[in-house]
Amino acid sequence: MTQRIDYNQVAPGGAKALGGVYSYVTHSGLPADLVDLVYLRVSQINNCAYCLDMHTRDLVRKGVAVEKLALVQAWSEGGNLFSARERAALAWAETVTRVAATGVPDADYQAAKAVFSEKELVDLTIAVGLMNAYNRMAISFRNTPQAAA
């Protein structure tokens, strides 16, 4: 796969703006592992090889068990591998990422709201939106995954 455009070089202001949102999420108070699991799940849904590679490596470096990583795409069947907050975050990430199909129904909102404070839920939604934006950039401009370089 050949990179089409290095968007970081072509539009550094845009890349910096996305980085600012990333920094906000990092400092939001949401647990880093939870956010990385959400980033991985969103990237799975969007089939972003670059981001799948990056976030899998991030989670491995943080000591997340390979058994858990292997089941992220089937988290609802992962039993005790995923905490209640992780399951709620992954469900929210899925419904928000697939917004055109789901419309983010009230039941999904109520389920997330039962586990997360209002601020956490807004911050989680910002994280989901950010990863969707990064996925679209990486896919559109063919960022090469480290594993394939």
Side-chain angles (χ1 to χ4, degrees):
M1 174 169 53
T2 302
Q3 186 176 32
R4 293 175 172 167
I5 295 173
D6 182 348
Y7 52 84
N8 292 304
Q9 295 298 316
V10 172
K16 184 177 179 182
L18 286 174
V21 177
Y22 180 83
S23 179
Y24 172 82
V25 172
T26 300
H27 295 95
S28 69
L30 290 171
D33 287 358
L34 178 85
V35 172
D36 282 334
L37 283 173
V38 164
Y39 286 165
L40 181 59
R41 184 64 191 121
V42 170
S43 298
Q44 288 172 336
I45 293 166
N46 291 323
N47 202 32
C48 181
Y50 179 81
C51 297
L52 286 167
D53 181 58
M54 179 189 335
H55 298 297
T56 299
R57 289 173 187 279
D58 289 347
L59 287 160
V60 167
R61 274 192 296 277
K62 291 178 179 178
V64 175
V66 71
E67 294 83 4
K68 187 172 190 171
L69 292 175
L71 291 178
V72 170
Q73 68 186 17
W75 61 266
S76 63
E77 299 173 33
N80 293 331
L81 282 175
F82 298 94
S83 70
R85 283 176 61 87
E86 288 170 338
R87 288 191 300 274
L90 292 166
W92 185 250
E94 288 182 3
T95 197
V96 171
T97 295
R98 296 178 172 138
V99 65
T102 69
V104 189
D106 289 342
D108 291 355
Y109 170 71
Q110 292 302 329
K113 188 177 167 188
V115 177
F116 295 104
S117 71
E118 287 184 349
K119 182 178 182 315
E120 288 174 325
L121 191 52
V122 170
D123 290 343
L124 184 60
T125 307
I126 291 169
V128 171
L130 175 66
M131 189 47 46
N132 274 286
Y134 273 133
N135 289 168
R136 280 147 181 79
M137 296 297 285
I139 293 167
S140 298
F141 300 118
R142 302 292 192 258
N143 283 11
T144 304
Q146 182 180 339

